[in-house]
Amino acid sequence: MKPHFDHVALIGLGLIGSSLGHVIKQHGLARRVSGTARSAATRETAMRIGFVDDVHEDPADCVRGADLVILCTPVGTFAKLAEQMAPALKPGAILTDAGSVKCSVIEAIKPHLPEGVHFIPGHPIAGTEYSGPEAGFAELFEGRWCILTPLPDTDDDALARLKAFWEACGSEVEIMTPDHHDLVLAITSHLPHLIAYNIVGTASDLETVTEKEVIKFSASGFRDFTRIAASDPVMWRDIFMNNREAVLEMLGRFTEDLASLQRAIRWGDGQALEELFTRTRAVRRSIIESGQDTPAPDFGRHGVPSQETEKPAKKTA
Amino acid sequence: MKPHFDHVALIGLGLIGSSLGHVIKQHGLARRVSGTARSAATRETAMRIGFVDDVHEDPADCVRGADLVILCTPVGTFAKLAEQMAPALKPGAILTDAGSVKCSVIEAIKPHLPEGVHFIPGHPIAGTEYSGPEAGFAELFEGRWCILTPLPDTDDDALARLKAFWEACGSEVEIMTPDHHDLVLAITSHLPHLIAYNIVGTASDLETVTEKEVIKFSASGFRDFTRIAASDPVMWRDIFMNNREAVLEMLGRFTEDLASLQRAIRWGDGQALEELFTRTRAVRRSIIESGQDTPAPDFGRHGVPSQETEKPAKKTA
């Protein structure tokens, strides 16, 4: 395949950065891949695994001459990185990122950018609960959405090139405004993570039920929350710090609804509960129909389907 | 294998009842399996699939002569069923159930029971989000916990026989008091389900983000909640109606903790967030170490493990 870019610079070599390195190498999407990471150990690991061609301690050295620069660090680091990289960015280069929030990222990066650099904020909706340079794999983006949130003055050609790059990584690309992205992610990703972190915290603090018991009987529901509550702490701290308005808005609605459920339980209003529980079942069906999950029952038994469902598909979208 | 019981009666032929039928047949744990279900269609399906030998419309007819009777209907039906079955129960028979709450189940059943019947409340911690007579499979209980909550006057021999039966179904048996069971399940199962139902409801009601978008981008976290929010509505209505005290207690703690997280987000207290998110990661590790889940990353890609993890095991515990 003809390379999409001559020289790609990956800023941050964790799960996203290393997966990008792998997929670029696997499909020959660039002639050269440079990487930077704060920790020398991470840079060494990246070179040893071989998903980058060269590593640099200084982000400016990493981006020098690159025609695609992808920020793959926690979003709280973006302002400082943009400031450091700015003088070394090549005119005509595309700068994008993989951050889970977009409005605050634009505020953090835009003021530092020199003329002639195409800044197109992005967000691959892909990840696992693992982090670090050894967690990456080339298939991470396969069949997953990647959202791009171009600015009013974004160059059409640059946008088309970035879109083609993500498609070559296996993703489907969706374009939306930064504001709308932040609302969509607040409900589909940020609030679910917040609630998962919260219930795992609540469960660990109980005096009446031991942590050992919580773990032992976790397959009855709790377990499903612990997986997403195991995601990278610094990345998630930064997401909540940087999508405050949208998260607080969604959290307010969630709490209001929960108070109403609490009231229904206290006063024995079974009808209200049954109505909600019936409605939510339909949402699950839509998610399976849209290919965003498999119908296989998941009660700690990957690969043991019930009689009425098929084996989990290898690729779901 | 020598049958554990001569004649087992399954009251309710949904996911649990049908799975019990399958595992009893597969391992020859009884000479005869009778079943009852309110709906004629369910009884016919059960006979067609063949996990029961005979079906009855009247629960009393079903339990007549049985030496093991297992209630597998939503817990809200237990009082009436106990009243109907009581005159037909054989002296010396063991009566147990599969309900997710235990204190209120004892209150509902005990007053109706004749002398000489051994009532031992039980709860297999196993399930999927599917329901009905076609959802069952023989391996459902394999490697899962089954909690028994004997009463102060429970006969030791009867308890030993029931324990051996569940072990023959593939389960590991844990004994605890009914009160403690209800607390443990409130945090490990009931609260997680309540929160999952709630967030799916909140997401469906938004005006700023469409349901289509929620579904499309659900793989970023939301999806994990929809699976458990697809569980049987009537069964879960009854659980919340019947474990009110413990659920409200756990919900109170959850809400308190969530308010404190909300405050941390509003005031930009990143350190508080990072501390919690780091602590919750350790709980996940313990769950994997205890065999209650696999370490495979689960981002809509069953069977595509990352480099550092093993393939999902077929059996996890």
Side-chain angles (χ1 to χ4, degrees):
Chain A
M1 193 188 281
K2 188 167 159 286
H4 285 241
F5 290 94
D6 189 62
H7 179 191
V8 174
L10 301 174
I11 315 299
L13 302 170
L15 171 66
I16 298 291
S18 60
S19 294
L20 277 168
H22 285 294
V23 68
I24 291 169
K25 292 275 167 206
Q26 190 174 91
H27 296 310
L29 305 180
R31 274 186 235 282
R32 176 178 161 201
V33 181
S34 299
T36 181
R38 231 172 16 176
S39 120
T42 301
R43 296 194 300 270
E44 278 161 31
T45 304
M47 285 302 286
R48 177 175 51 74
I49 299 176
F51 58 79
V52 288
D53 297 301
D54 44 79
V55 288
H56 307 267
E57 191 177 348
D58 185 340
D61 293 336
C62 182
V63 304
R64 196 162 282 126
D67 46 3
L68 175 62
V69 176
I70 310 178
L71 284 160
C72 311
T73 50
V75 295
T77 64
F78 285 9
K80 190 163 173 230
L81 282 167
E83 195 185 346
Q84 291 175 307
M85 298 183 313
L89 286 170
K90 187 167 96 170
I94 295 174
L95 171 65
T96 188
D97 72 301
S100 285
V101 295
K102 297 276 65 83
C103 291
S104 74
V105 157
I106 294 168
E107 277 171 44
I109 293 178
K110 202 143 191 276
H112 300 290
L113 294 187
E115 278 291 307
V117 169
H118 303 294
F119 172 43
I120 308 173
H123 179 202
I125 314 282
T128 72
E129 66 273 33
Y130 296 98
S131 40
E134 293 178 290
F137 52 102
E139 299 78 16
L140 180 66
F141 308 105
E142 224 175 275
R144 298 285 124 208
W145 291 99
C146 179
I147 300 176
L148 299 179
T149 64
L151 306 180
D153 60 353
T154 293
D155 180 73
D156 283 345
D157 279 355
L159 179 60
R161 287 188 71 197
L162 185 59
K163 183 167 180 281
F165 170 80
W166 277 111
E167 286 167 352
C169 292
S171 292
E172 292 189 74
V173 174
E174 177 93 359
I175 309 279
M176 61 176 76
T177 65
D179 288 285
H180 193 62
H181 169 278
D182 287 0
L183 273 178
V184 170
L185 270 288
I187 186 67
T188 57
S189 177
H190 307 170
L191 184 58
H193 276 80
L194 191 70
I195 291 163
Y197 281 124
N198 193 63
I199 194 176
V200 177
T202 303
S204 319
D205 291 342
L206 295 173
E207 311 88 19
T208 46
V209 177
T210 66
E211 193 164 310
K212 209 177 140 196
E213 286 174 314
V214 169
I215 288 161
K216 199 162 172 180
F217 302 112
S218 61
S220 48
F222 182 75
R223 187 194 56 190
D224 290 21
F225 293 72
T226 62
R227 196 185 60 75
I228 67 176
S231 303
D232 187 64
V234 172
M235 176 182 133
W236 280 95
R237 178 200 66 194
D238 282 5
I239 289 172
F240 292 115
M241 297 287 93
N242 285 282
N243 198 19
R244 191 168 60 182
E245 298 301 315
V247 169
L248 289 178
E249 159 68 16
M250 297 302 175
L251 184 53
R253 287 168 179 259
F254 173 85
T255 308
E256 204 172 291
D257 293 345
L258 192 60
S260 144
L261 268 188
Q262 180 166 353
R263 197 174 184 283
I265 293 172
R266 193 178 301 280
W267 293 97
D269 184 355
Q271 203 187 334
L273 297 179
E274 192 182 340
E275 271 167 20
L276 172 68
F277 301 170
T278 304
R279 197 152 68 88
T280 54
R281 209 172 204 190
V283 175
R284 175 67 183 172
R285 264 196 299 275
S286 307
I287 286 179
I288 291 168
E289 282 162 15
S290 74
Q292 290 301 308
D293 205 352
T294 67
D298 188 2
F299 207 87
R301 42 187 69 252
H302 293 296
V304 183
S306 84
Q307 298 186 328
E308 68 177 2
T309 59
E310 291 182 353
K311 280 234 170 254
K314 205 163 182 198
K315 202 183 128 190
T316 58
Chain B
M1 194 189 280
K2 188 169 161 286
H4 284 241
F5 290 93
D6 188 61
H7 180 192
V8 175
L10 301 173
I11 314 299
L13 302 170
L15 171 67
I16 298 292
S18 60
S19 295
L20 277 169
H22 285 294
V23 68
I24 290 170
K25 292 273 168 209
Q26 191 175 90
H27 295 310
L29 304 180
R31 274 186 234 282
R32 176 179 160 200
V33 181
S34 300
T36 182
R38 230 173 14 177
S39 121
T42 301
R43 296 194 300 269
E44 278 160 30
T45 305
M47 284 304 285
R48 177 174 51 74
I49 299 176
F51 59 78
V52 287
D53 297 300
D54 45 80
V55 288
H56 306 267
E57 191 178 348
D58 184 340
D61 293 337
C62 183
V63 303
R64 197 160 283 124
D67 46 1
L68 174 64
V69 176
I70 311 178
L71 283 161
C72 311
T73 51
V75 293
T77 64
F78 285 8
K80 191 163 170 231
L81 282 168
E83 197 185 344
Q84 291 175 305
M85 297 183 315
L89 286 169
K90 187 167 97 169
I94 295 175
L95 172 66
T96 187
D97 73 301
S100 285
V101 294
K102 297 274 67 84
C103 290
S104 73
V105 156
I106 294 169
E107 277 171 43
I109 292 179
K110 203 144 191 275
H112 300 289
L113 295 187
E115 277 291 308
V117 169
H118 303 294
F119 173 43
I120 309 172
H123 179 202
I125 313 282
T128 73
E129 64 273 32
Y130 297 99
S131 38
E134 293 178 290
F137 52 101
E139 299 78 15
L140 180 66
F141 309 105
E142 223 173 276
R144 298 285 124 208
W145 290 100
C146 179
I147 299 176
L148 298 179
T149 63
L151 306 181
D153 59 354
T154 293
D155 179 76
D156 283 346
D157 279 355
L159 179 60
R161 287 187 72 196
L162 185 60
K163 183 167 180 279
F165 170 79
W166 278 111
E167 285 167 352
C169 292
S171 292
E172 292 190 74
V173 174
E174 178 92 359
I175 309 279
M176 59 177 77
T177 66
D179 288 283
H180 193 62
H181 168 278
D182 287 359
L183 274 178
V184 170
L185 270 288
I187 187 68
T188 56
S189 178
H190 307 169
L191 184 58
H193 276 79
L194 190 71
I195 291 163
Y197 281 122
N198 192 64
I199 194 176
V200 177
T202 303
S204 318
D205 291 341
L206 295 174
E207 311 88 19
T208 47
V209 177
T210 66
E211 192 163 311
K212 209 177 139 195
E213 287 175 313
V214 169
I215 288 161
K216 200 162 171 180
F217 302 112
S218 61
S220 48
F222 182 74
R223 188 192 54 191
D224 290 20
F225 293 72
T226 63
R227 197 185 60 73
I228 67 174
S231 303
D232 187 65
V234 173
M235 175 180 134
W236 279 95
R237 177 200 67 192
D238 282 3
I239 289 171
F240 293 116
M241 297 288 93
N242 285 282
N243 198 18
R244 191 168 61 182
E245 299 301 314
V247 169
L248 290 177
E249 158 69 16
M250 296 302 174
L251 183 53
R253 287 167 179 260
F254 173 85
T255 309
E256 203 173 292
D257 292 345
L258 193 60
S260 144
L261 268 188
Q262 179 166 352
R263 196 173 185 283
I265 293 173
R266 192 178 301 280
W267 294 96
D269 184 355
Q271 203 187 332
L273 297 179
E274 192 181 340
E275 272 167 18
L276 173 67
F277 301 171
T278 305
R279 197 153 66 89
T280 54
R281 211 171 204 190
V283 175
R284 175 68 182 171
R285 263 196 299 275
S286 307
I287 285 179
I288 291 169
E289 282 162 15
S290 74
Q292 291 301 309
D293 205 353
T294 67
D298 187 2
F299 207 84
R301 43 185 72 254
H302 292 296
V304 183
S306 85
Q307 300 187 327
E308 67 178 3
T309 59
E310 289 183 354
K311 280 232 172 261
K314 208 165 177 198
K315 201 182 130 193
T316 57

